Amino acid sequence: MERLLKNFRSDSYGYIIKPNHVEIQADGRVNSAKSIFLTNKTLKNLPVQFNNVMGEFDVSTSTLTTLEGSPQTCDSFRCYGTPLHSLQGGPQAVSVEYNCNRCWLKTLEGAPHDMGFQGRFHASGNMLENLVGAPQQVDFLDVTSNPLNSLEGLPKYCRKLSLPYQPHIPLLRVLLVSGLQTLEVLLEEGSWSEDQTDLQEILLKYAGKGWAAMVPCAREMIRMGYRENARL
C-alpha cells in the first residue's frame, strides 16, 4: 500500500490518496471511496489500474497520453486540456459529467455508450469530423469548435445539443434525435460565436419527428438559404 501511494504524493497540484479511502482488489485494481484529482500532473500514463471511484476522477491539464488505467466507473470524469488523441481505456460508466474538451481528439470512440438521462458530455475544441463513438443516451452534448462534416454518431436521445455551424455540414440527422428541447448551432470565428437562430428554430420545429419530417424541414431550410445543410 505505501509503495502504491508514493505514486500520488501530495503537492501543489493534487493531493494524496489516503489509505482509508482506497481498497486494492486481488487483481491489483484500486477502488476509491473519494474523488481522485491528478490535475496538472506530469504523467505519461497512470501508474496503477483504477476500478471504481466514488466521486470525480480528474486528470485534466496533465501530460497523459493514454487513459489506460482509468476507473471503469466514476460519477464525473475530466481529462480536458490533455494531449490524449484517444479516449480508449477511459471509463465506460459515467453518470454526471464527462469532459474531454481540447484533447486533440479525432474520434470519440472509447467514450461511454450510455450516460443516462442526466449525463453531460463535453467534447469541444477537438479535431472531430464526425460523432462516431459519442454517447447514444445523454442529457447534454457539446461538440462546438470542431471541424465537423458529418453528424454520423449523433445520440439517439439528447435533451440539449450544441453544434458548430459549417455551411456544408448536413443537419437533417438532428431530426432523428429524441427528447431534444434545446439546440445551439453556433457560427464560430476565433473567440466569437453567434447563434444561427432561424436555423435552430426550423430544426427544433421538426426535432423528434423522424423520417416523416425530413422533406418539409429540408424545404424550409432551403427557403431560408440553408440548401447545403438540408441533407443527411
Side-chain angles (χ1 to χ4, degrees):
M1 174 68 77
E2 289 301 319
R3 186 164 60 86
L4 169 68
L5 296 181
K6 286 180 181 178
N7 292 315
F8 298 98
R9 294 187 301 273
S10 177
D11 59 31
S12 58
Y13 300 113
Y15 55 79
I16 198 166
I17 303 173
K18 297 179 180 179
N20 60 328
H21 291 166
V22 299
E23 170 195 44
I24 302 179
Q25 299 181 161
D27 60 5
R29 293 187 297 173
V30 175
N31 296 321
S32 176
K34 297 289 184 179
S35 296
I36 303 293
F37 294 94
L38 297 170
T39 56
N40 297 312
K41 291 287 188 180
T42 305
L43 295 170
K44 285 189 176 180
N45 49 57
L46 293 168
V48 299
Q49 171 69 61
F50 289 91
N51 180 53
N52 178 52
V53 171
M54 298 177 64
E56 303 173 34
F57 191 84
D58 192 338
V59 293
S60 55
T61 59
S62 69
T63 57
L64 284 178
T65 57
T66 175
L67 292 179
E68 294 294 336
S70 297
Q72 287 300 295
T73 63
C74 56
D75 294 337
S76 292
F77 179 77
R78 299 185 183 94
C79 58
Y80 61 84
T82 299
L84 291 169
H85 302 286
S86 171
L87 298 179
Q88 297 290 350
Q92 293 304 296
V94 179
S95 58
V96 179
E97 180 186 44
Y98 192 117
N99 190 322
C100 56
N101 290 342
R102 305 187 309 279
C103 287
W104 292 268
L105 298 172
K106 293 184 178 180
T107 176
L108 293 178
E109 292 185 81
H113 182 265
D114 185 342
M115 291 187 65
F117 294 109
Q118 296 183 327
R120 304 183 302 274
F121 189 88
H122 304 267
S124 178
N126 286 292
M127 298 183 290
L128 302 173
E129 295 185 358
N130 59 58
L131 300 177
V132 173
Q136 291 303 288
Q137 182 169 290
V138 65
D139 179 64
F140 174 43
L141 178 71
D142 177 9
V143 288
T144 53
S145 299
N146 278 287
L148 295 180
N149 55 42
S150 167
L151 294 186
E152 182 183 2
L154 201 63
K156 294 178 180 177
Y157 174 91
C158 182
R159 191 181 61 83
K160 180 178 180 180
L161 178 62
S162 291
L163 299 171
Y165 177 73
Q166 306 280 358
H168 61 276
I169 186 172
L171 291 172
L172 287 180
R173 194 179 292 266
V174 169
L175 307 190
L176 302 178
V177 179
S178 65
L180 191 62
Q181 297 178 18
T182 304
L183 174 66
E184 293 178 326
V185 183
L186 300 178
L187 175 63
E188 300 167 312
E189 295 287 344
S191 60
W192 172 85
S193 66
E194 179 181 41
D195 284 340
Q196 301 298 100
T197 307
D198 52 350
L199 179 57
Q200 292 169 182
E201 289 176 352
I202 295 171
L203 290 168
L204 278 175
K205 176 181 175 181
Y206 293 99
K209 296 181 180 179
W211 295 99
M214 293 287 175
V215 172
C217 182
R219 286 174 179 164
E220 283 200 42
M221 290 171 67
I222 292 169
R223 192 161 54 244
M224 292 297 293
Y226 296 104
R227 178 177 294 273
E228 289 300 307
N229 303 119
R231 298 178 293 120
L232 271 175

